[in-house]
Amino acid sequence: MNLQQPAIEICGLHKWFDEHHVLKGVDMTVDSSDVIVIIGASGSGKSTLLRCVNRLETYEKGVVRVHGEDVPEDEGYINKLRARLGMVFQNFNLFPHMTVLGNVIEGPTQVKKMKKKEAVEIGRHYLAKVGMSDKEDAYPQTLSGGQKQRAAIARALAMEPEAMLFDEPTSALDPELVGEVLSVMRNLAEDGMTMIVVTHEMGFAREVADTVGFMDGGSILEFGTPEAIFNHPEQQRTQEFLGQIL
Ligand code: ADP
Ligand code: MG
């Protein structure tokens, strides 16, 4: 790890699903403590991009570097990479047969081989951060969607990742539960976490993003400050997309 290098660097990334060219040369640099929000229509390739960054998907061309290190296509490296990048999904993906604390210490004990006592200490620290200390013994099915997502964020944080990737973390939530998850994410950003966030929450993007990228048809058509993207986007496709949703 070289902390002088960008936290995440994506160069010329191409991805095909068989004949379907889904990522068409994506370039992106995320500096440490930056928050990049990716917006764009359904099917434009946002999830695939995040999944390629931590190698939940293979890709055919391009390079992803994490703090300056290439990630060779080797299982050992890939597992190490996944431990360095926390991922939060739309549908929480908690282990249903484990308590909240069990979910949170699973990675530290199984992947990092940490002693249980130490993992519990770290786990409780991050559960406190997301306001879930009183739920450590609860099972996922007894939680609200917002609580599940906050537990999932604590689980990712317990690995002490170098950056966090969020794929529409509030899209599956009832509207009244969106705020509590966004507020946890805003706190993380304020603490200096490096984040790539795919979201349709434009208020969050305006307030929290350093940079907003508009994705369309497998490319990022433009990057800019929230002010630039929302108030005077350069690309017509960006204007059309924002016109439909704002
Ligand atoms: P977004 O997250 O922006 O909605 P996705 O990254 O999910 O977009 O999808 C981009 C394109 O890739 C879509 O056309 C989608 O149908 C296709 N795609 C996504 N996942 C797969 C897959 N596992 N197999 C085949 N095609 C896929
Ligand atoms: Mg998606």
Side-chain angles (χ1 to χ4, degrees):
M1 173 176 24
N2 179 347
L3 292 174
Q4 305 301 314
Q5 297 286 328
I8 299 173
E9 209 177 355
I10 303 169
C11 308
L13 188 65
H14 287 260
K15 163 75 185 168
W16 281 262
F17 285 112
D18 299 320
E19 302 297 296
H20 188 183
H21 196 180
V22 174
L23 295 179
K24 300 177 181 166
V26 174
D27 295 298
M28 179 153 104
T29 301
V30 190
D31 287 321
S32 287
S33 299
D34 266 10
V35 177
I36 299 221
V37 168
I38 304 292
I39 60 172
S42 178
S44 57
K46 306 179 299 297
S47 295
T48 305
L49 175 62
L50 289 190
R51 294 169 61 81
C52 285
V53 169
N54 75 352
R55 292 260 194 184
L56 290 173
E57 298 286 355
T58 58
Y59 43 89
E60 284 68 41
K61 256 169 90 176
V63 180
V64 176
R65 294 191 193 93
V66 179
H67 281 120
E69 288 174 36
D70 277 8
V71 185
E73 200 165 339
D74 166 289
E75 210 178 318
Y77 280 102
I78 290 173
N79 285 334
K80 270 193 202 138
L81 172 78
R82 292 207 187 119
R84 295 170 62 185
L85 299 174
M87 179 118 180
V88 175
F89 303 89
Q90 191 174 335
N91 292 313
F92 328 121
N93 293 10
L94 291 170
F95 303 117
H97 59 290
M98 289 181 190
T99 64
V100 165
L101 186 62
N103 268 277
V104 170
I105 67 170
E106 179 71 6
T109 54
Q110 298 304 309
V111 180
K112 287 191 159 175
K113 310 291 177 205
M114 202 177 272
K115 293 225 163 60
K116 185 165 175 200
K117 188 163 173 278
E118 192 189 348
V120 165
E121 224 166 86
I122 290 176
R124 287 191 172 134
H125 171 77
Y126 288 106
L127 284 173
K129 269 208 169 284
V130 302
M132 289 286 289
S133 295
D134 57 334
K135 293 289 181 190
E136 69 170 58
D137 294 324
Y139 282 87
Q141 82 244 21
T142 68
L143 302 175
S144 72
Q147 291 169 333
K148 282 183 199 165
Q149 195 58 300
R150 287 186 285 137
I153 292 171
R155 183 178 60 180
L157 291 174
M159 292 295 280
E160 309 210 298
E162 290 160 51
M164 290 278 287
L165 313 175
F166 291 88
D167 191 2
E168 298 200 30
T170 61
S171 294
L173 300 178
D174 291 334
E176 73 274 19
L177 303 177
V178 168
E180 65 192 62
V181 172
L182 293 180
S183 141
V184 163
M185 292 167 63
R186 191 177 291 118
N187 290 343
L188 271 184
E190 281 167 8
D191 286 350
M193 178 58 79
T194 308
M195 297 165 46
I196 305 178
V197 182
V198 171
T199 187
H200 296 294
E201 293 293 334
M202 298 301 151
F204 176 86
R206 268 183 195 275
E207 274 175 50
V208 181
D210 295 293
T211 302
V212 177
F214 172 65
M215 191 149 189
D216 186 54
S219 307
I220 299 192
L221 284 195
E222 62 181 314
F223 284 107
T225 61
E227 211 277 320
I229 295 291
F230 292 118
N231 297 355
H232 30 87
E234 286 178 7
Q235 300 290 327
Q236 199 184 337
R237 286 289 303 128
T238 315
Q239 291 166 17
E240 286 165 6
F241 174 75
L242 292 172
Q244 283 158 6
I245 60 158
L246 291 179

